[in-house]
């Protein structure tokens, strides 16, 4: 029986609760930034580092994927960007002495928070079969070990190569090339748990799985709908863009079960008015929807638009656009007209009047943008939900014109770029053809494994070497005990990482930690100091140059590690010039330029300040590279999560003091929670109905068709203005509750935002610490 260390130590997790805030940023954000930055980096390094953030000659923020504005401020950073940087640029170190002192069994008892706080990894470390401790290993021996394990596999498909979205374009391109030269498309990535539903829905409907707006479009929009996203915490720089849009006359609607402070009001810390004044009110209309109610909401809006057109023919729909550029309108419209208001009310929990108000705002707007994030992508019916958003925009020609479009807001800073570079288990034939031609080999054609299927394959013994380029696989994925057992079932698990995390202590028979440079570190190779490139959420590609002295002298970059591994695995006859790639990343960019459309003259174009835009057919000239050659309307049956009587729906989300599985601190300032993370936010009437009071404790137990008991013990009850029937608690503590097999249709994304739960009596802090499986 293995213990399962939670993200925080339950004995010290003692949340204090005050009322939620109604505005984001302002002076407290600046103060908090300074505190965290100086604790990790000291004062001088903090100033030097933060001044380089998101500047034309500096490094790209390792926080979120929101694009950089025109570099007008001397310090273009936000509180959470600064925390991400401080976490990486910390002066604390985890070296051989640390691993000699702490056995793996000891580390497996520590919380994720504690592990992350220990500092930057400095030395390649091996956990040998049967060993109790990690011990240092040289780079050559480490890479040789991985190579021989890979070569010993019966089939290349018994290896999986995971990528987290911080990886640069150069490292991502090199990794997928290596995996495919080795012979597999097993390239699962964090996107499988994130915006895969957006990619699936957009590719099908508009022909490209990326957003169709640039920053300037937000400034020109009449109406911006923000659904299922908490930008105040997760994309704080988006609030400056929303503020600017608002000043230019846009109206903003937020659709969310929670009244998120950042969407209510924004105090821009970049100016005096924001620091001391009341800030800018952002949201004009707040629709407090039920979890998973967005498909019904957009269906209802589409019905109202069709009815408005019936009343005043020729004035509501963009007929010219629909006729010239769209396919499937009649079938869609016939189905939309059957939308049943009772079903809409049940699914959304919204008064019909409010939906009619929003439809009225839509009719008054010529240019509409819909922004979304995990609230829309992590449900069983996420793909049809996003297709319905596309229907909504197509009706009034809101795709491919200034000030309008789809805006999925990505998470990790280069998750979109990694996909562009070919980190995908289901690559297109065109991509593989180009790759094969350029590097004179026949890439594997069979689809590979995504995240959920990789876990199943490791569990069932079909994958036995797991290699991760960043991330924290066991903590980020669903069904924690299942995933942990799957990892333990491997022959070898390898993590290329900057910081210590849970995935280093739940290992295969043998394990390697390969420490690497981060975005902020100076990366000097044989060809001189290197730069890398990244692509933001709006398809802008630009360079990033680290400037800080690396945490240890012989740290290798991600790219150098992959090239070293590829050489040792594929042998001297392999036609790819891995040595040249590793010496100067410009050589990799020259090849990317020849393989991937839109990257022509890559090396010269990254010299342009601000970088360059990748082509996007729908946005650039209303060309839709779909199966029909047009933008596809789709028919999406009205579905919503089903919740049995006496049960609630739980969403698992982020606090203000975390970056995914990295915990920065124990506060969720905007939601009024301090000094703890094991909280469940409940509507007061739901709490009363279940006999729970503010400050009381309860276990959360999830229900799924397999009948397996999944329990997250000891959560403090917080009465909160969430939608009735809809609870919220933080990830990764609650990943134990998400069943591996509960995934979105088509995209296979875990349904992290709709988990059916019941309450059971509190097992106490000991129960939480001991939650054995
Ligand atoms: N500081 C910080 N920044 C981050 C991250 C981080 O952890 N910390 N993570 C990064 C990553 S990888 C990602 S993907 C993004 C995530 O960014 P978000 O998607 O904003 O992250 P979540 O905390 O999961 O928040 C989901 C939001 O959707 C709402 N929501 C949940 N379910 C529903 C629903 O059914 N319908 C509607 N309409 N709303 C719903 C929730 O109440 C919440 O406001 O942020 C990125 N940026
Ligand atoms: N229940 C639930 N589960 C979720 C979600 C949810 O909302 N609810 N969200 C999902 C989403 S949207 C995502 S994107 C995933 C995130 O999944 P991951 O991307 O796998 O997780 P992170 O916590 O971002 O990974 C953090 C680790 O990355 C390493 N790291 C940081 N920077 C670098 C770097 O520059 N290079 C390298 N090589 N390593 C680095 C550090 O060692 C750090 O410990 O989680 C998913 N899981
Ligand atoms: Mo994400």
């Amino acid at each position: 029986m293995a213990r399962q260390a939670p993200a925080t130590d339950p004995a010290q997790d003692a949340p204090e609760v005050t009322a939620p805030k109604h505005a984001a940023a302002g002076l407290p954000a600046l103060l908090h930034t300074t505190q965290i930055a100086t604790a990790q980096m000291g004062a001088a390094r903090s100033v030097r580092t933060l001044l380089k953030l998101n500047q034309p000659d500096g490094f790209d923020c390792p926080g979120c994927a929101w694009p950089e504005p025109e570099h007008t401020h001397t310090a273009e950073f936000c509180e959470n960007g600064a925390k991400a940087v401080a976490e990486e640029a910390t002066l604390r170190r985890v070296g051989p002495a640390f691993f000699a002192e702490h056995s793996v069994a000891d580390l497996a008892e520590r919380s994720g928070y504690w592990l992350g706080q220990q500092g930057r990894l400095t030395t390649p470390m091996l956990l040998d079969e049967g060993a109790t401790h990690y011990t240092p290993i040289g780079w050559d021996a480490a890479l040789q070990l991985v190579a021989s394990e890979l070569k010993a596999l019966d089939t290349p498909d018994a290896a999986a190569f995971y990528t987290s979205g911080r990886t640069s374009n150069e490292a991502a391109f090199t990794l997928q090339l290596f995996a495919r030269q080795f012979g597999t498309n097993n390239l699962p990535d964090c996107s499988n748990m994130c915006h895969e539903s957006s990619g699936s829905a957009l590719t099908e409907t508009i022909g490209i799985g990326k957003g169709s707006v640039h920053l300037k479009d937000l400034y020109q929009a009449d109406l911006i709908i923000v659904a299922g996203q908490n930008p105040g915490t997760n994309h704080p720089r988006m609030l400056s863009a929303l503020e600017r849009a608002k000043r230019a006359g846009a109206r903003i609607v937020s659709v969310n079960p929670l009244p998120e402070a950042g969407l209510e009001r924004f105090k821009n810390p970049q100016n005096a008015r924001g620091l001391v004044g009341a800030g800018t009110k952002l949201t004009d209309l707040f629709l407090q929807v039920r979890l998973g109610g967005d498909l019904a909401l957009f269906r209802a809006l589409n019905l109202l638009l069709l009815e408005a057109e019936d009343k005043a023919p020729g004035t509501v729909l963009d007929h010219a656009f629909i006729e010239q550029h769209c396919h499937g309108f009649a079938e869609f419209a016939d189905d939309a007209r059957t939308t049943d208001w009772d079903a809409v009310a049940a699914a959304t929990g919204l008064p019909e009047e409010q939906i009619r108000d929003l439809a009225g705002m839509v009719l008054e707007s010529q240019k509409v943008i819909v922004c979304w994030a995990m609230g829309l992508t992590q449900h069983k019916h996420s793909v049809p939900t996003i297709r319905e958003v596309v229907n909504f925009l197509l009706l009034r020609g809101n795709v491919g014109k200034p000030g309008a479009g789809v805006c999925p807001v990505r998470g990790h800073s280069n998750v979109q770029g990694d996909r562009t570079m070919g980190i995908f288990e289901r690559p297109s034939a065109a991509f593989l053809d180009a790759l094969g031609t350029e590097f004179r080999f026949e890439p594997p054609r069979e689809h590979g494994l995504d995240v959920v299927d990789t876990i199943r394959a490791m569990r069932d013994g079909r994958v036995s070497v797991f290699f991760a380029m960043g991330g924290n696989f066991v903590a980020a994925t669903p069904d924690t005990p299942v995933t942990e057992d799957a990892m333990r079932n491997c022959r070898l698990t390898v993590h290329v990482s900057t910081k210590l995390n849970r995935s280093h202590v739940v290992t295969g028979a043998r394990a390697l930690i390969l420490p690497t440079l981060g975005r902020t570190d100076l990366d000097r190779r044989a060809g001189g100091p290197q730069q890398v490139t990244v692509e933001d959420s709006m398809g802008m590609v630009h360079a990033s140059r680290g400037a800080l002295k690396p945490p240890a002298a012989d740290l290798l970059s991600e790219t150098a590690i992959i090239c070293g591994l590829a050489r040792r695995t594929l042998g001297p006859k392999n036609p790819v010039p891995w040595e040249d790639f590793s010496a100067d990343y410009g050589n990799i960019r020259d090849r990317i330029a020849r393989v991937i459309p839109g990257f022509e003259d890559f090396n010269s174009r990254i010299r342009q300040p601000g970088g360059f835009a990748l082509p996007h057919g729908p946005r650039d000239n209303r060309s839709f590279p779909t199966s029909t050659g047009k933008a596809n309307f789709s028919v999406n049956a009205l579905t919503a999560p089903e919740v049995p009587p006496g049960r609630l729906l739980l969403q698992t989300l982020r606090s203000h003091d975390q970056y995914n599985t990295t915990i920065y601190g124990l506060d969720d300032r905007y939601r009024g929670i301090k000094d703890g993370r094991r909280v469940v936010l409940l509507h007061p009437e739901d709490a009363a109905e279940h006999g729970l009071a503010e400050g009381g404790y309860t276990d959360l137990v999830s229900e799924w068709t397999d009948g397996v008991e999944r329990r997250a013990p000891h959560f403090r009850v917080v009465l909160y203005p969430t939608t009735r029937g809809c609870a919220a608690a933080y990830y990764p503590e609650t990943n134990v509750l998400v069943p591996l097999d509960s995934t979105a249709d088509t995209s296979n994304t875990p349904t992290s935002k709709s988990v059916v739960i019941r309450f059971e009596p509190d097992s106490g802090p000991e129960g939480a610490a001991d939650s054995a499986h």
Side-chain angles (χ1 to χ4, degrees), residues 394-422:
L394 293 179
L395 278 178
R396 287 173 52 84
N398 277 312
V399 176
K401 72 179 182 194
V406 285
C407 184
V409 183
R410 305 277 160 182
H412 267 300
S413 50
N414 197 39
V415 62
Q416 185 159 320
D418 291 348
R419 210 25 100 69
T420 308
M421 291 298 121

mmCIF file of all heavy atoms in Angstrom, residues 394-422:
data_model
loop_
_atom_site.group_PDB
_atom_site.id
_atom_site.type_symbol
_atom_site.label_atom_id
_atom_site.label_comp_id
_atom_site.label_asym_id
_atom_site.label_seq_id
_atom_site.Cartn_x
_atom_site.Cartn_y
_atom_site.Cartn_z
ATOM 1 N N LEU A 394 -20.569 32.142 -36.497
ATOM 2 C CA LEU A 394 -20.764 32.087 -37.951
ATOM 3 C C LEU A 394 -22.063 32.783 -38.356
ATOM 4 O O LEU A 394 -22.128 33.445 -39.404
ATOM 5 C CB LEU A 394 -20.796 30.632 -38.446
ATOM 6 C CG LEU A 394 -19.487 29.826 -38.344
ATOM 7 C CD1 LEU A 394 -19.708 28.393 -38.867
ATOM 8 C CD2 LEU A 394 -18.352 30.492 -39.126
ATOM 9 N N LEU A 395 -23.117 32.647 -37.543
ATOM 10 C CA LEU A 395 -24.437 33.180 -37.910
ATOM 11 C C LEU A 395 -24.377 34.651 -38.318
ATOM 12 O O LEU A 395 -25.054 35.072 -39.239
ATOM 13 C CB LEU A 395 -25.418 33.032 -36.734
ATOM 14 C CG LEU A 395 -26.078 31.678 -36.570
ATOM 15 C CD1 LEU A 395 -26.985 31.671 -35.341
ATOM 16 C CD2 LEU A 395 -26.900 31.331 -37.827
ATOM 17 N N ARG A 396 -23.542 35.417 -37.602
ATOM 18 C CA ARG A 396 -23.468 36.851 -37.917
ATOM 19 C C ARG A 396 -22.124 37.227 -38.532
ATOM 20 O O ARG A 396 -21.666 38.370 -38.443
ATOM 21 C CB ARG A 396 -23.781 37.686 -36.679
ATOM 22 C CG ARG A 396 -25.290 37.621 -36.374
ATOM 23 C CD ARG A 396 -25.731 38.253 -35.102
ATOM 24 N NE ARG A 396 -25.328 39.611 -34.836
ATOM 25 C CZ ARG A 396 -25.953 40.714 -35.293
ATOM 26 N NH1 ARG A 396 -27.016 40.597 -36.072
ATOM 27 N NH2 ARG A 396 -25.517 41.910 -34.974
ATOM 28 N N GLY A 397 -21.469 36.229 -39.133
ATOM 29 C CA GLY A 397 -20.219 36.509 -39.855
ATOM 30 C C GLY A 397 -19.094 36.975 -38.946
ATOM 31 O O GLY A 397 -18.216 37.740 -39.349
ATOM 32 N N ASN A 398 -19.123 36.494 -37.692
ATOM 33 C CA ASN A 398 -18.115 36.960 -36.738
ATOM 34 C C ASN A 398 -16.825 36.149 -36.760
ATOM 35 O O ASN A 398 -16.170 35.996 -35.728
ATOM 36 C CB ASN A 398 -18.710 36.958 -35.331
ATOM 37 C CG ASN A 398 -19.511 38.227 -35.062
ATOM 38 O OD1 ASN A 398 -19.041 39.328 -35.328
ATOM 39 N ND2 ASN A 398 -20.729 38.069 -34.571
ATOM 40 N N VAL A 399 -16.453 35.617 -37.906
ATOM 41 C CA VAL A 399 -15.145 34.976 -38.049
ATOM 42 C C VAL A 399 -14.488 35.568 -39.292
ATOM 43 O O VAL A 399 -15.123 35.659 -40.345
ATOM 44 C CB VAL A 399 -15.279 33.441 -38.197
ATOM 45 C CG1 VAL A 399 -13.904 32.806 -38.443
ATOM 46 C CG2 VAL A 399 -15.907 32.822 -36.962
ATOM 47 N N GLY A 400 -13.214 35.974 -39.151
ATOM 48 C CA GLY A 400 -12.492 36.467 -40.320
ATOM 49 C C GLY A 400 -12.822 37.903 -40.659
ATOM 50 O O GLY A 400 -12.787 38.311 -41.810
ATOM 51 N N LYS A 401 -13.192 38.691 -39.657
ATOM 52 C CA LYS A 401 -13.273 40.136 -39.873
ATOM 53 C C LYS A 401 -12.695 40.821 -38.632
ATOM 54 O O LYS A 401 -12.696 40.218 -37.543
ATOM 55 C CB LYS A 401 -14.713 40.569 -40.151
ATOM 56 C CG LYS A 401 -15.649 40.544 -38.957
ATOM 57 C CD LYS A 401 -17.053 41.011 -39.342
ATOM 58 C CE LYS A 401 -17.957 41.014 -38.118
ATOM 59 N NZ LYS A 401 -19.381 41.142 -38.457
ATOM 60 N N PRO A 402 -12.188 42.055 -38.784
ATOM 61 C CA PRO A 402 -11.550 42.707 -37.641
ATOM 62 C C PRO A 402 -12.511 42.824 -36.458
ATOM 63 O O PRO A 402 -13.710 43.031 -36.637
ATOM 64 C CB PRO A 402 -11.193 44.096 -38.187
ATOM 65 C CG PRO A 402 -11.126 43.921 -39.672
ATOM 66 C CD PRO A 402 -12.134 42.860 -40.011
ATOM 67 N N GLY A 403 -11.990 42.632 -35.283
ATOM 68 C CA GLY A 403 -12.793 42.818 -34.072
ATOM 69 C C GLY A 403 -13.683 41.648 -33.720
ATOM 70 O O GLY A 403 -14.512 41.741 -32.818
ATOM 71 N N ALA A 404 -13.533 40.514 -34.432
ATOM 72 C CA ALA A 404 -14.429 39.381 -34.192
ATOM 73 C C ALA A 404 -13.660 38.071 -34.282
ATOM 74 O O ALA A 404 -12.606 38.010 -34.906
ATOM 75 C CB ALA A 404 -15.549 39.377 -35.231
ATOM 76 N N GLY A 405 -14.220 37.022 -33.658
ATOM 77 C CA GLY A 405 -13.617 35.704 -33.864
ATOM 78 C C GLY A 405 -13.623 34.807 -32.645
ATOM 79 O O GLY A 405 -14.194 35.125 -31.595
ATOM 80 N N VAL A 406 -12.975 33.636 -32.825
ATOM 81 C CA VAL A 406 -12.841 32.665 -31.730
ATOM 82 C C VAL A 406 -11.524 32.917 -31.007
ATOM 83 O O VAL A 406 -10.495 33.155 -31.632
ATOM 84 C CB VAL A 406 -12.845 31.202 -32.248
ATOM 85 C CG1 VAL A 406 -14.231 30.774 -32.632
ATOM 86 C CG2 VAL A 406 -11.873 30.987 -33.403
ATOM 87 N N CYS A 407 -11.557 32.839 -29.671
ATOM 88 C CA CYS A 407 -10.353 33.115 -28.892
ATOM 89 C C CYS A 407 -10.198 32.107 -27.750
ATOM 90 O O CYS A 407 -10.446 32.427 -26.594
ATOM 91 C CB CYS A 407 -10.408 34.545 -28.358
ATOM 92 S SG CYS A 407 -8.926 35.054 -27.469
ATOM 93 N N PRO A 408 -9.784 30.867 -28.086
ATOM 94 C CA PRO A 408 -9.437 29.934 -27.020
ATOM 95 C C PRO A 408 -8.159 30.455 -26.359
ATOM 96 O O PRO A 408 -7.182 30.716 -27.052
ATOM 97 C CB PRO A 408 -9.169 28.615 -27.762
ATOM 98 C CG PRO A 408 -8.818 29.016 -29.164
ATOM 99 C CD PRO A 408 -9.485 30.336 -29.432
ATOM 100 N N VAL A 409 -8.177 30.646 -25.061
ATOM 101 C CA VAL A 409 -7.003 31.228 -24.400
ATOM 102 C C VAL A 409 -6.165 30.099 -23.814
ATOM 103 O O VAL A 409 -6.588 29.416 -22.891
ATOM 104 C CB VAL A 409 -7.420 32.242 -23.318
ATOM 105 C CG1 VAL A 409 -6.185 32.884 -22.700
ATOM 106 C CG2 VAL A 409 -8.329 33.312 -23.927
ATOM 107 N N ARG A 410 -4.990 29.911 -24.403
ATOM 108 C CA ARG A 410 -4.140 28.766 -24.065
ATOM 109 C C ARG A 410 -3.532 28.906 -22.683
ATOM 110 O O ARG A 410 -3.426 29.998 -22.151
ATOM 111 C CB ARG A 410 -2.986 28.631 -25.065
ATOM 112 C CG ARG A 410 -3.401 28.538 -26.495
ATOM 113 C CD ARG A 410 -3.790 27.131 -26.869
ATOM 114 N NE ARG A 410 -4.611 27.194 -28.071
ATOM 115 C CZ ARG A 410 -5.157 26.154 -28.674
ATOM 116 N NH1 ARG A 410 -4.979 24.944 -28.198
ATOM 117 N NH2 ARG A 410 -5.897 26.301 -29.738
ATOM 118 N N GLY A 411 -3.033 27.774 -22.192
ATOM 119 C CA GLY A 411 -2.466 27.743 -20.856
ATOM 120 C C GLY A 411 -0.973 27.962 -20.849
ATOM 121 O O GLY A 411 -0.496 29.102 -20.781
ATOM 122 N N HIS A 412 -0.207 26.881 -20.937
ATOM 123 C CA HIS A 412 1.243 26.965 -20.903
ATOM 124 C C HIS A 412 1.759 27.895 -21.996
ATOM 125 O O HIS A 412 1.201 27.949 -23.100
ATOM 126 C CB HIS A 412 1.834 25.569 -21.142
ATOM 127 C CG HIS A 412 2.105 24.804 -19.879
ATOM 128 N ND1 HIS A 412 2.955 25.259 -18.912
ATOM 129 C CD2 HIS A 412 1.665 23.596 -19.456
ATOM 130 C CE1 HIS A 412 3.037 24.366 -17.928
ATOM 131 N NE2 HIS A 412 2.243 23.342 -18.230
ATOM 132 N N SER A 413 2.901 28.550 -21.683
ATOM 133 C CA SER A 413 3.404 29.621 -22.547
ATOM 134 C C SER A 413 3.750 29.169 -23.957
ATOM 135 O O SER A 413 3.716 29.966 -24.877
ATOM 136 C CB SER A 413 4.618 30.260 -21.892
ATOM 137 O OG SER A 413 5.528 29.249 -21.488
ATOM 138 N N ASN A 414 4.103 27.894 -24.181
ATOM 139 C CA ASN A 414 4.348 27.491 -25.571
ATOM 140 C C ASN A 414 3.566 26.237 -25.954
ATOM 141 O O ASN A 414 3.975 25.503 -26.857
ATOM 142 C CB ASN A 414 5.836 27.283 -25.861
ATOM 143 C CG ASN A 414 6.102 27.281 -27.364
ATOM 144 O OD1 ASN A 414 5.502 28.070 -28.108
ATOM 145 N ND2 ASN A 414 6.958 26.393 -27.836
ATOM 146 N N VAL A 415 2.441 26.012 -25.329
ATOM 147 C CA VAL A 415 1.693 24.786 -25.644
ATOM 148 C C VAL A 415 1.203 24.816 -27.092
ATOM 149 O O VAL A 415 1.182 23.805 -27.789
ATOM 150 C CB VAL A 415 0.551 24.562 -24.627
ATOM 151 C CG1 VAL A 415 -0.448 25.697 -24.660
ATOM 152 C CG2 VAL A 415 -0.134 23.236 -24.847
ATOM 153 N N GLN A 416 0.851 26.018 -27.577
ATOM 154 C CA GLN A 416 0.384 26.112 -28.967
ATOM 155 C C GLN A 416 1.539 25.858 -29.935
ATOM 156 O O GLN A 416 1.385 25.160 -30.936
ATOM 157 C CB GLN A 416 -0.264 27.483 -29.198
ATOM 158 C CG GLN A 416 -0.871 27.617 -30.570
ATOM 159 C CD GLN A 416 -1.927 28.721 -30.645
ATOM 160 O OE1 GLN A 416 -2.722 28.899 -29.736
ATOM 161 N NE2 GLN A 416 -1.951 29.444 -31.742
ATOM 162 N N GLY A 417 2.719 26.402 -29.604
ATOM 163 C CA GLY A 417 3.888 26.205 -30.455
ATOM 164 C C GLY A 417 4.320 24.742 -30.512
ATOM 165 O O GLY A 417 4.692 24.226 -31.569
ATOM 166 N N ASP A 418 4.234 24.054 -29.378
ATOM 167 C CA ASP A 418 4.632 22.639 -29.364
ATOM 168 C C ASP A 418 3.790 21.850 -30.362
ATOM 169 O O ASP A 418 4.304 20.992 -31.092
ATOM 170 C CB ASP A 418 4.474 22.051 -27.957
ATOM 171 C CG ASP A 418 5.494 22.624 -26.979
ATOM 172 O OD1 ASP A 418 6.441 23.282 -27.438
ATOM 173 O OD2 ASP A 418 5.330 22.418 -25.756
ATOM 174 N N ARG A 419 2.509 22.142 -30.418
ATOM 175 C CA ARG A 419 1.628 21.459 -31.367
ATOM 176 C C ARG A 419 2.004 21.810 -32.806
ATOM 177 O O ARG A 419 2.085 20.944 -33.677
ATOM 178 C CB ARG A 419 0.189 21.886 -31.075
ATOM 179 C CG ARG A 419 -0.936 20.942 -31.359
ATOM 180 C CD ARG A 419 -0.634 19.506 -31.363
ATOM 181 N NE ARG A 419 -0.946 18.707 -30.193
ATOM 182 C CZ ARG A 419 -2.152 18.380 -29.745
ATOM 183 N NH1 ARG A 419 -3.227 18.807 -30.356
ATOM 184 N NH2 ARG A 419 -2.296 17.613 -28.696
ATOM 185 N N THR A 420 2.284 23.093 -33.040
ATOM 186 C CA THR A 420 2.686 23.502 -34.387
ATOM 187 C C THR A 420 3.937 22.747 -34.821
ATOM 188 O O THR A 420 4.105 22.395 -35.987
ATOM 189 C CB THR A 420 2.953 25.024 -34.423
ATOM 190 O OG1 THR A 420 1.822 25.704 -33.882
ATOM 191 C CG2 THR A 420 3.201 25.516 -35.840
ATOM 192 N N MET A 421 4.820 22.459 -33.853
ATOM 193 C CA MET A 421 6.089 21.770 -34.154
ATOM 194 C C MET A 421 5.920 20.270 -34.325
ATOM 195 O O MET A 421 6.885 19.561 -34.556
ATOM 196 C CB MET A 421 7.100 22.033 -33.024
ATOM 197 C CG MET A 421 7.580 23.466 -32.955
ATOM 198 S SD MET A 421 8.451 23.951 -34.456
ATOM 199 C CE MET A 421 7.445 25.313 -34.980
ATOM 200 N N GLY A 422 4.708 19.771 -34.144
ATOM 201 C CA GLY A 422 4.493 18.341 -34.395
ATOM 202 C C GLY A 422 4.377 17.483 -33.152
ATOM 203 O O GLY A 422 4.368 16.258 -33.243
#
